[in-house]
Amino acid sequence: MPASSDLLLPYIPVSELREGGRVRVLTNEEGGVIVERLERFDDDARTYTYSIVDAPFPVTGYRSTLTVHDVDGGGSRVEWSGTFTPAGVSEEEAAALFQGIYRDGLAALRQTLGA
């Protein structure tokens, strides 16, 4: 599939879908490549889970889930969480890396949706 320049995360300008959309190859601003695999998708529950197959991150066994929850009075809240094992860095350093990614990604989503 062709590459997309749709806004994903602030530091991911390009995404390429493979294997019918089950694999996503992301390229960051510095040219680093992140390969994600869709593990589970549930349209009714409004959730999906993915793993990172290959990335320049100091972790192993990364698995993450995004879930959309209804909010009383209308609207939605997106929850994004992940599990991983730090590799060569402290747990605090690895957690801080992904907390920043989640924060920036959720902010970009909010801006994209105009919420």
Side-chain angles (χ1 to χ4, degrees):
M1 282 199 165
S4 168
S5 63
D6 295 340
L7 177 64
L8 305 167
L9 291 170
Y11 73 100
I12 302 287
V14 179
S15 173
E16 179 184 343
L17 297 178
R18 296 185 183 166
E19 296 182 26
R22 292 200 51 87
V23 172
R24 190 166 72 156
V25 179
L26 310 171
T27 304
N28 67 24
E29 294 168 329
E30 293 83 34
V33 174
I34 302 158
V35 181
E36 299 176 339
R37 174 171 291 284
L38 180 64
E39 301 290 343
R40 275 191 18 221
F41 180 85
D42 186 332
D43 218 6
D44 292 332
R46 299 182 345 177
T47 185
Y48 76 91
T49 299
Y50 68 95
S51 61
I52 292 182
V53 177
D54 188 34
F57 300 136
V59 300
T60 61
Y62 180 91
R63 190 172 174 100
S64 186
T65 300
L66 283 97
T67 305
V68 178
H69 301 277
D70 289 327
V71 175
D72 289 339
S76 300
R77 178 178 58 85
V78 178
E79 178 181 301
W80 188 0
S81 62
T83 60
F84 51 82
T85 302
V89 298
S90 71
E91 186 171 329
E92 292 77 18
E93 290 172 299
L97 169 69
F98 288 103
Q99 287 169 350
I101 290 170
Y102 297 166
R103 180 189 61 244
D104 293 349
L106 291 171
L109 177 63
R110 176 178 227 149
Q111 182 177 4
T112 298
L113 296 176

